[in-house]
Amino acid sequence: MLTTLSEATRTGAGGKAATLGVLLRAGLPVPDGFVLPSGIQQTGTEVGPALCDAVASELERLGDPVVAVRSSAANEDSAEASAAGQYESIIGVHGADEVCQAVADVRASARSARVGDYWARSGDRSPQVSDMPVLVQPVIEADVSGVMFTPQHDDEPTRIEASWGLGLAVVGGTVSPDTYETAPDGKIQFSAGSKQTRIDLDHERGGVATSAVTPDKQSARTLDDTAVTALADLGGRIATALGGPQDIEWAVADGTVWILQARPITAALPARNVRDSSDQAGVLSGTPGSHGTVTAAARVVRGPSDFSTVRAGDIVVCPYTDPAWTPLFTVAAGVVTETGGALSHAAIVAREYGIPAVLGIDRVTTYIENGDRITLDGTAGTVTVLRPEPSRERKEGGASS
């Protein structure tokens, strides 16, 4: 009735689980788990009693852990479309009843507006199935986690972004992560992020909780050179096993590296920007997130209540973007954020949509006002404000990075 992760194939178990199954069978460090495949007995998205009993048996086999419940749709995590962050993932679930409810919630997300918008924009107008496969794995309680892009060409580096705690902060763009590049000759380049918050399991209430990072760790390196080299080597093994460059989510717990997801890289990544403190006034520098240049009016969006103010062709300027924000990408001409990295879900979707993005410009929502004409260069990682020189007060409250 259920499929163990080691036996998962794309037929029935979907894209995410199938890829992890390949890596697990190859002896790579993937957490064990199981899949509720498509086409099994259910009522709508709900999990019936017999199926829930099978879930309980699998959880017992795994040692009754706290788990992550994630989508594994047939058409996600492909070379054509990642669907990065579009379906719900529910982290920190314990016990068969909670897992079965989480499975229903993940399946219900296939009918959400953002999923429909994503697949329509990606050219796939087929109806989304509500009985899509769902993957269940123990949560790795990470000390450090993040995302790694393996090289798309032989002369390119491995790109790694990392932060403290679970990887939700990195993929969700709620922190500006540490960035590492490992060149083909092994040389490592590093830029410290601003890791002000972290996400961890909430053992008292279930799920996850966000907490402040102590000042001494906000600018401290998350990974030493030995760990960076080991990750890059592991990325190379994964790319070889899967036959091409990969977008990999990873976690480190008690010194052990775990692979949580791998999928093909769907669009070219801009080169990392080495920020220049001599940038001209009015030019803000951030992380290049998605290629392209556009000049348009800025629209400051601080939360979902501001979504309705965005007009077609605006450049969205916001604190960060999580998956609920990606429908804005169907009308926006570009995106600028205060936090986040080039390997976050929002940046991946921006590249797939072909809209420029610059990430990690501190306090940009304070510096830029609604209606300001700005030029966004997603390849260079710059935003130029095309208005008269700001007042002294606005300069002092503004941002450059």
Side-chain angles (χ1 to χ4, degrees), residues 51-252:
L51 189 53
C52 208
D53 287 344
V55 167
S57 295
E58 280 298 299
L59 291 173
E60 183 178 3
R61 177 182 70 84
L62 295 173
D64 193 28
V66 175
V67 299
V69 180
R70 300 189 293 160
S71 66
S72 184
N75 54 353
E76 71 175 315
D77 291 354
S78 71
E80 292 75 34
S82 67
Q86 299 307 299
Y87 299 96
E88 289 294 335
S89 292
I90 302 178
I91 313 299
V93 182
H94 185 248
D97 289 344
E98 288 188 11
V99 170
C100 290
Q101 181 59 55
V103 168
D105 293 342
V106 169
R107 283 178 166 162
S109 73
R111 299 197 300 261
S112 69
R114 76 172 183 237
V115 169
D117 288 344
Y118 174 84
W119 289 115
R121 180 66 180 253
S122 301
D124 182 351
R125 298 185 179 274
S126 59
Q128 301 306 303
V129 295
S130 59
D131 68 338
M132 68 179 176
V134 176
L135 170 63
V136 180
Q137 289 176 288
V139 175
I140 301 300
E141 295 198 57
D143 304 308
V144 179
S145 54
V147 183
M148 168 169 55
F149 272 37
T150 66
Q152 293 182 271
H153 303 285
D154 291 342
D155 60 345
E156 291 180 346
T158 297
R159 296 273 295 271
I160 298 171
E161 294 183 347
S163 193
W164 305 114
L166 301 180
L168 297 172
V170 177
V171 299
T174 57
V175 297
S176 294
D178 289 350
T179 60
Y180 303 85
E181 286 190 349
T182 302
D185 63 2
K187 184 178 179 181
I188 295 171
Q189 291 187 339
F190 163 70
S191 295
S194 176
K195 308 172 292 294
Q196 298 182 17
T197 60
R198 60 182 288 161
I199 300 174
D200 298 280
L201 287 181
D202 186 334
H203 289 286
E204 292 185 4
R205 292 183 292 269
V208 298
T210 301
S211 61
V213 173
T214 58
D216 61 308
K217 296 190 74 173
Q218 289 179 13
S219 58
R221 282 186 63 154
T222 47
L223 300 168
D224 60 24
D225 282 358
T226 300
V228 172
T229 299
L231 269 172
D233 290 345
L234 183 57
R237 292 172 60 196
I238 292 169
T240 298
L242 299 178
Q246 296 292 305
D247 163 3
I248 300 163
E249 295 180 20
W250 53 269
V252 178

Side-chain angles (χ1 to χ4, degrees), residues 296-388:
R299 182 64 52 185
V300 179
V301 178
R302 292 188 170 85
S305 62
D306 294 331
F307 284 7
S308 63
T309 68
V310 179
R311 296 169 295 188
D314 284 347
I315 296 174
V316 170
V317 180
C318 55
Y320 68 95
T321 64
D322 65 22
W325 294 54
T326 52
L328 294 180
F329 292 10
T330 64
V331 296
V335 179
V336 183
T337 70
E338 292 184 327
T339 62
L343 310 187
S344 66
H345 284 161
I348 291 169
V349 173
R351 290 193 290 272
E352 290 181 354
Y353 283 11
I355 62 172
V358 177
L359 312 166
I361 301 181
D362 187 35
R363 293 176 291 172
V364 70
T365 61
T366 301
Y367 188 84
I368 292 175
E369 295 183 348
N370 278 326
D372 283 345
R373 295 283 293 177
I374 62 176
T375 295
L376 185 166
D377 187 336
T379 304
T382 60
V383 176
T384 304
V385 183
L386 306 175
R387 56 169 162 77

